[in-house]
Amino acid sequence: MWRESLYRQASPVPLLGNCTQCADGFVKYVQFLEFPAFPVRFHVDRSSSPSGSTGVVQVHYWSAVPTSSPNFSTRFWLADIPAGGGSFSFQPAPNKSCISLFKKNSTGSFDCVCTKFIPDSKLFVPQTF
């Protein structure tokens, strides 16, 4: 019985945050509605990058749910994902319930990336653009 409880806690339920800029099935952020007692391992598939982003993609968490005009002071760096893809650990909590991916643009700052999130495998797949 304790193993079933542990398994449920390791798979937080996401709420997918759509935006009008994303293609169908893609989101700007993933919000978690359950908060496990320990960090969860997530994966980012960058086999097709996003195009034009051969460098690092950054993973950020938010201390408040982002809006269409988010307050960037509530965004915090979590991990760098290299061009081939990678993994990161994150422990969703009420004050850290959202994750977004960002890629470096031509001016050197980072833009939010539309991504597909597959909850069962805890996999982020950034949109190729």
Side-chain angles (χ1 to χ4, degrees):
M1 180 151 155
W2 66 270
R3 286 185 181 165
E4 290 175 8
S5 173
L6 187 66
Y7 179 74
R8 278 196 304 271
Q9 289 179 354
S11 300
V13 175
L15 172 68
L16 302 175
N18 281 327
C19 93
T20 57
Q21 299 168 346
C22 294
D24 286 343
F26 289 90
V27 296
K28 286 284 189 187
Y29 69 89
V30 174
Q31 179 185 10
F32 296 96
L33 303 176
E34 291 183 1
F35 311 113
F38 48 85
V40 179
R41 191 86 171 146
F42 293 94
H43 310 282
V44 180
D45 177 3
R46 290 199 56 204
S47 56
S48 60
S49 260
S51 63
S53 181
T54 55
V56 165
V57 164
Q58 292 185 342
V59 180
H60 292 235
Y61 73 87
W62 297 80
S63 63
V65 177
T67 63
S68 59
S69 298
N71 177 352
F72 287 102
S73 68
T74 63
R75 183 184 77 173
F76 301 91
W77 176 89
L78 181 63
D80 288 336
I81 305 297
S87 300
F88 65 95
S89 292
F90 176 68
Q91 186 169 356
N95 64 338
K96 330 186 276 191
S97 65
C98 298
I99 293 178
S100 293
L101 301 181
F102 289 79
K103 76 168 192 143
K104 191 177 276 190
N105 64 26
S106 59
T107 65
S109 58
F110 282 82
D111 293 329
C112 195
V113 175
C114 296
T115 187
K116 184 173 192 86
F117 180 67
I118 304 167
D120 293 341
S121 52
K122 300 175 192 77
L123 177 67
F124 289 87
V125 182
Q127 178 180 359
T128 301
F129 48 88

